[in-house]
Amino acid sequence: MSPIAVMLTPEHPEGIEVDPTQPQLLLTDQAATRGDGVFETLLYRHGRLREAEAHLRRLDGSAEALGLVIPPQTRWETAIRLGLGAFLAQTGDDAEATVKLVASRGPEDGPGSFWVFVSPVKRTAATAHGPENGLRVLLLDRGYDSGAADRAPWLLAGAKTLSYAVNMAAQRWAKTHDADDAIFITSDGRVLEGPTSSVLLARRGPDGTVTLLTPELETGILAGTTQAAAFDVAREAGWELGYGPLTPAHLMEADAVWLVSSVRLAAAVTMIDGQPVAADPELHQILVSGLDAQL
Amino acid sequence: MSPIAVMLTPEHPEGIEVDPTQPQLLLTDQAATRGDGVFETLLYRHGRLREAEAHLRRLDGSAEALGLVIPPQTRWETAIRLGLGAFLAQTGDDAEATVKLVASRGPEDGPGSFWVFVSPVKRTAATAHGPENGLRVLLLDRGYDSGAADRAPWLLAGAKTLSYAVNMAAQRWAKTHDADDAIFITSDGRVLEGPTSSVLLARRGPDGTVTLLTPELETGILAGTTQAAAFDVAREAGWELGYGPLTPAHLMEADAVWLVSSVRLAAAVTMIDGQPVAADPELHQILVSGLDAQL
């Protein structure tokens, strides 16, 4: 199961397979020199690419926020098919794969660089944790207040850019401080998102109702594709849905908290800042099996 | 004057010249996929590399903030000599050159990627502006308050990372809004830095004294190598020196304002948010010729 890379070039706008073990990017590519580009990560599972349309739409939105002209969705779709086809030729159609789309501003005075990278799913310690083996999370201040995204569009809040050094640093901070991952909060105490995930919480009402909540997008978080998929599952299950504002207290008082993302799907959070948070195996099972069953 | 690239590899730890017109980076290099690395840009001028020691020290500090192990300074120096030697062989020793050092976390499970890139100096519209032709600048909110850097080390404030998408977006915002560049301010109104520069202002006192001021580092700005060089010039000229906190009002009431950076050196600011700011040709001349004369 070798990774497969497909580049969309001026000569091959529909994609051409390239050798991912050989260098393909110039040293002057602005992806590498300035993190100046956008990306998406998709999961191929059970013979289908999850939420492809939502990911491609978000890629377009991110590119627009950066003033970056990228190939149209049909070209990406063709390149993805080429890459997935080559990958699955090695594995059979029932394999799982991570499909990463990257759009870079490219070298200065040159065209952009665009590629699709298909690779085996890495089941890390943080993948697919249930309540029996959940995530220990730290709340980390993102520095911004909850109004920053709205008043300062140059902060690119809500765009999935290649400039992920802070996201990576937050995860490293968590891992060196007895935790598995992080949840960012604003300087004025609103829950935002994980460095590579969205945050969900569930509440059970006295009348048997279940409510699934996620922070409001207006604080500048990424519109989560898996969060949206989880909301579909919850709607099917008859749960109520809602959007923040959420505070750390809401997390601590919830009946269940998850980090959700495209590859990991739903991972239960069992500890926040060293304090246990409630787990709900029944709700977890509904959410995980619902996400798994989506077509 | 073709650019010259030198990579520091496990096989060639002191650097090997590579072809910068050919791809040298894997698609999985975390410089390109996550902006996960650090950099420095130096100016070679009048037969010498300006502030080499300060730049190499800052590269080390940035790498440390990211938990990134990079080659020791002596290796960088050897690689720089190799690259500059090859560049100057084309041009003669009195040429100017931009020398960029980049340290990336490299591909996952691989060694880091480290390179030196030597290229001709680009005299853009924003280079070496004097008061007669100064910069129009917008004040842009950086989203952070002035305490964020201190309480949240994972924000990597003060590290010069490859994750520059916001810096680039701020400069694009300025250019599409009748300006040449930006100055970031905190959400609580402190002056920080430009997206690719430090901020200086000068005040003349009634007794003939001149004071040169720059924002305090505690707000999480980059320790400017050219700011430090300008302070050396000012000290020589008998000016007083000081560090913020500075507010936009300080800029508007100053006798001169500059953006300083390694390649552009000192560029006078003549307009902020559409309002003229004072220019002082005499002070500008002292600063520019002092920076130019430094050895």
Side-chain angles (χ1 to χ4, degrees):
Chain A
M1 294 212 298
S2 308
I4 300 289
V6 173
M7 298 196 80
L8 295 80
T9 66
E11 298 77 32
H12 300 280
E14 305 209 329
I16 181 169
E17 200 181 326
V18 300
D19 183 349
T21 70
Q22 293 300 312
Q24 302 293 348
L25 295 177
L26 293 176
L27 293 174
T28 51
D29 197 292
Q30 291 168 89
T33 58
R34 292 173 178 168
D36 199 357
V38 298
F39 76 103
E40 285 293 326
T41 307
L42 293 77
L43 178 63
Y44 176 86
R45 194 181 192 188
H46 302 328
R48 60 178 281 278
L49 200 58
R50 291 180 62 89
E51 308 294 336
E53 199 183 321
H55 282 287
L56 285 169
R57 198 166 50 234
R58 193 169 65 180
L59 188 74
D60 268 344
S62 297
E64 193 180 342
L66 270 71
L68 191 63
V69 178
I70 67 171
Q73 297 194 1
T74 52
R75 290 278 161 82
W76 287 102
E77 285 161 0
T78 310
I80 291 168
R81 270 197 298 275
L82 178 59
L84 258 181
F87 187 84
L88 297 173
Q90 308 173 80
T91 60
D93 280 0
D94 56 345
E96 291 190 4
T98 299
V99 178
K100 188 160 185 170
L101 317 180
V102 182
S104 150
R105 204 174 299 275
E108 284 178 54
D109 311 319
S113 306
F114 311 107
W115 68 91
V116 175
F117 197 84
V118 185
S119 59
V121 173
K122 282 187 198 148
R123 294 284 171 208
T124 66
T127 307
H129 275 295
E132 71 290 342
N133 182 23
L135 295 176
R136 299 163 303 160
V137 165
L138 297 186
L139 300 180
L140 297 185
D141 186 339
R142 188 60 187 82
Y144 301 138
D145 62 274
S146 52
D150 208 38
R151 67 175 186 269
W154 47 86
L155 298 178
L156 305 175
K160 197 169 172 75
T161 79
L162 298 174
S163 285
Y164 251 42
V166 167
N167 305 54
M168 297 297 109
Q171 289 191 331
R172 276 196 304 278
W173 181 274
K175 282 164 191 165
T176 54
H177 290 80
D178 283 329
D180 304 302
D181 208 335
I183 292 177
F184 284 129
I185 55 172
T186 63
S187 55
D188 51 342
R190 298 266 192 92
V191 175
L192 289 170
E193 61 194 341
T196 61
S197 59
S198 304
V199 176
L200 294 181
L201 69 81
R203 284 183 195 151
R204 285 180 181 273
D207 52 354
T209 57
V210 176
T211 306
L212 189 66
L213 292 159
T214 198
E216 76 284 17
L217 288 179
E218 289 72 20
T219 45
I221 60 176
L222 220 60
T225 54
T226 311
Q227 170 266 311
F231 268 39
D232 288 342
V233 170
R235 200 178 288 112
E236 280 284 307
W239 302 358
E240 307 283 318
L241 302 174
Y243 290 88
L246 299 177
T247 67
H250 290 121
L251 298 177
M252 302 313 295
E253 293 158 9
D255 291 298
V257 179
W258 296 273
L259 294 185
V260 301
S261 53
S262 300
V263 174
R264 179 164 69 178
L265 297 177
V269 174
T270 50
M271 186 89 84
I272 294 180
D273 284 352
Q275 302 298 311
V277 292
D280 193 313
E282 186 192 347
L283 298 183
H284 183 75
Q285 183 55 33
I286 293 170
L287 191 61
V288 166
S289 60
L291 285 170
D292 190 60
Q294 276 175 338
L295 284 179
Chain B
M1 293 212 298
S2 308
I4 300 291
V6 173
M7 298 196 81
L8 295 81
T9 66
E11 298 76 33
H12 300 280
E14 305 208 328
I16 180 167
E17 200 181 327
V18 299
D19 183 350
T21 69
Q22 294 299 313
Q24 302 294 346
L25 296 176
L26 294 176
L27 293 174
T28 52
D29 197 292
Q30 291 169 89
T33 58
R34 293 173 177 167
D36 199 359
V38 298
F39 76 103
E40 286 293 327
T41 307
L42 294 76
L43 178 62
Y44 176 86
R45 193 181 194 188
H46 302 329
R48 59 178 282 278
L49 200 59
R50 291 181 62 90
E51 308 294 337
E53 200 183 320
H55 283 286
L56 285 169
R57 199 165 51 234
R58 193 169 66 180
L59 188 73
D60 268 345
S62 297
E64 194 180 341
L66 269 72
L68 190 63
V69 178
I70 68 170
Q73 297 196 359
T74 51
R75 290 278 161 82
W76 287 102
E77 285 162 357
T78 309
I80 291 168
R81 269 197 298 277
L82 178 59
L84 258 181
F87 186 84
L88 297 173
Q90 308 173 82
T91 59
D93 282 0
D94 57 346
E96 292 191 4
T98 299
V99 179
K100 188 160 185 171
L101 317 179
V102 182
S104 150
R105 204 175 299 276
E108 283 178 54
D109 311 320
S113 307
F114 311 108
W115 69 92
V116 175
F117 198 84
V118 185
S119 59
V121 172
K122 281 187 199 148
R123 295 285 170 207
T124 67
T127 309
H129 274 295
E132 71 289 345
N133 183 23
L135 296 176
R136 299 163 303 159
V137 166
L138 297 186
L139 300 179
L140 297 185
D141 186 340
R142 187 62 186 82
Y144 301 137
D145 62 275
S146 53
D150 208 39
R151 66 175 188 268
W154 47 86
L155 298 179
L156 305 175
K160 197 169 172 73
T161 80
L162 298 174
S163 285
Y164 251 41
V166 166
N167 304 54
M168 297 296 110
Q171 288 190 332
R172 275 196 304 277
W173 182 274
K175 282 163 192 167
T176 54
H177 290 81
D178 281 329
D180 304 303
D181 207 335
I183 292 177
F184 284 129
I185 56 171
T186 63
S187 55
D188 50 343
R190 299 267 192 91
V191 175
L192 289 169
E193 61 195 343
T196 61
S197 59
S198 304
V199 176
L200 295 180
L201 70 82
R203 283 182 195 153
R204 287 181 180 273
D207 51 353
T209 57
V210 176
T211 306
L212 189 66
L213 292 159
T214 197
E216 75 284 17
L217 287 180
E218 290 71 20
T219 45
I221 60 175
L222 219 61
T225 55
T226 311
Q227 170 267 312
F231 268 39
D232 289 341
V233 170
R235 199 179 288 111
E236 281 284 307
W239 301 359
E240 307 284 318
L241 302 174
Y243 291 88
L246 299 177
T247 66
H250 290 120
L251 297 177
M252 302 313 295
E253 293 158 8
D255 292 299
V257 179
W258 296 272
L259 294 185
V260 300
S261 52
S262 300
V263 174
R264 180 164 68 180
L265 297 177
V269 173
T270 50
M271 187 88 84
I272 295 180
D273 284 352
Q275 302 298 311
V277 294
D280 192 314
E282 186 192 346
L283 298 183
H284 184 75
Q285 184 55 34
I286 292 170
L287 191 61
V288 166
S289 60
L291 285 170
D292 190 61
Q294 277 176 336
L295 285 179

